[in-house]
Amino acid sequence: VRFIAGPAMCIPGADAAMDTVMSAAKSAGSLLGGMIPDLHVDISTPSLTLLEPTKLFCVEAVKSPGFDGSSCSQDLGCHSTGRPSSPMVTPIPPEQVRQTTAPSAHSPTCYSIPMGDHFIQLGDWRWAAIDDNHFSVSHKDGQTAQIYRNDGTLHPGPRTDYNAWGRSIGPASGISFGYQFIQIGKFRLGQVNDNHFSISHRDGQVIQIFRNDGTLHPGPRTDHSTYDRPLGAATGIAFGDRFIQIGQFRLGDADGWHATVTHSGGQTIQIYR
């Protein structure tokens, strides 16, 4: 009923009217159920969606007063942008869905970002999953500036272990994408929302949160992970001269000696040297 009502739910007083309709519907359902007790019909089976809708970009251009607190804001607003379907809706398993990609007319002008076995290279810096439990940011001269561990802990340099520069540039291996995240091995680098970026592990730990105000919020912790999103096309991700932009955040080589994580609002959140 709420789906059919759609935008009308935002009209003042619509909630009260809807409650009356729903109450009547439940009463009718109970009466009908009492009439056919021997059929044992299971009406609790979740809905099945053949083609899961993809809500990627969203702008709430005009909002009526009190919209954010209304029951329809979750469905009509931008709160669920890039998020998976409701628990009551069962999507088709990914292995049964075939997606195809094709180069556009602008593909020849795209920047080429060197990649390889579980690493992405931005200038003189590599962002890599060294193994299933360690992710590092390392420089071509041999120094490892930072290690992010699967248990949610940080292990800063200077140090020379857990360096990814012994690997060759070649076909990308162990690298996947989705809505505003890059997955390297079992680690995800992704924008949680316009104000928060995180590095998280598949096992549930968030190792570091980068905030738009320039502050860092280390783990171990389990909030602000991007593992609630499915793998898919690299959406909300852009590439440039020695940088990758994920949502409103950029990871890049500033000058050969410094790698940075910055926000479109102007703040430099972290510098690796």
Side-chain angles (χ1 to χ4, degrees):
V1 176
R2 292 184 182 276
F3 176 78
I4 296 173
M9 284 299 299
C10 288
I11 299 174
D15 282 338
M18 180 59 67
D19 289 341
T20 301
V21 173
M22 294 300 293
S23 178
K26 290 178 181 178
S27 298
S30 298
L31 180 61
L32 180 61
M35 296 170 62
I36 50 174
D38 298 328
L39 293 181
H40 302 291
V41 178
D42 182 8
I43 59 173
S44 64
T45 304
S47 302
L48 187 68
T49 176
L50 297 178
L51 183 60
E52 187 173 13
T54 302
K55 185 178 179 184
L56 299 177
F57 301 101
C58 184
V59 175
E60 294 172 350
V62 178
K63 294 190 291 185
S64 60
F67 173 79
D68 290 330
S70 66
S71 59
C72 64
S73 65
Q74 291 294 329
D75 298 320
L76 301 180
C78 294
H79 299 284
S80 61
T81 302
R83 302 301 190 271
S85 299
S86 165
M88 288 303 294
V89 177
T90 303
I92 295 297
E95 59 270 17
Q96 297 182 23
V97 179
R98 184 177 63 183
Q99 297 187 12
T100 59
T101 58
S104 70
H106 302 287
S107 295
T109 64
C110 292
Y111 285 94
S112 176
I113 300 294
M115 300 183 184
D117 180 18
H118 290 77
F119 76 83
I120 293 177
Q121 182 175 326
L122 302 174
D124 292 336
W125 295 84
R126 285 190 177 178
W127 303 68
I130 303 303
D131 53 41
D132 287 347
N133 301 323
H134 299 85
F135 185 90
S136 75
V137 180
S138 58
H139 190 266
K140 72 172 185 179
D141 286 346
Q143 287 292 332
T144 298
Q146 182 72 65
I147 297 173
Y148 300 91
R149 206 162 69 181
N150 69 313
D151 61 359
T153 58
L154 297 164
H155 302 269
R159 56 195 301 164
T160 56
D161 56 341
Y162 294 95
N163 191 299
W165 284 85
R167 306 178 186 181
S168 301
I169 293 175
S173 174
I175 301 175
S176 306
F177 300 89
Y179 177 71
Q180 295 187 343
F181 74 80
I182 298 176
Q183 181 171 326
I184 305 177
K186 295 184 177 180
F187 294 83
R188 281 193 181 182
L189 291 73
Q191 174 174 289
V192 182
N193 52 48
D194 285 349
N195 300 324
H196 299 85
F197 182 91
S198 72
I199 297 179
S200 55
H201 189 267
R202 188 181 70 176
D203 290 344
Q205 287 293 333
V206 172
I207 309 132
Q208 183 77 282
I209 297 173
F210 306 79
R211 205 161 71 180
N212 67 316
D213 61 0
T215 59
L216 293 167
H217 302 267
R221 58 195 301 160
T222 56
D223 57 329
H224 290 81
S225 173
T226 55
Y227 264 94
D228 61 337
R229 307 176 194 175
L231 295 173
T235 309
I237 301 172
F239 301 87
D241 180 15
R242 295 169 296 167
F243 75 82
I244 293 176
Q245 181 167 330
I246 305 176
Q248 302 298 317
F249 294 82
R250 281 192 183 184
L251 293 67
D253 181 343
D255 55 13
W257 300 106
H258 302 86
T260 61
V261 178
T262 59
H263 187 264
S264 62
Q267 289 290 338
T268 296
I269 308 162
Q270 182 155 20
I271 298 175
Y272 306 89
R273 193 165 69 179

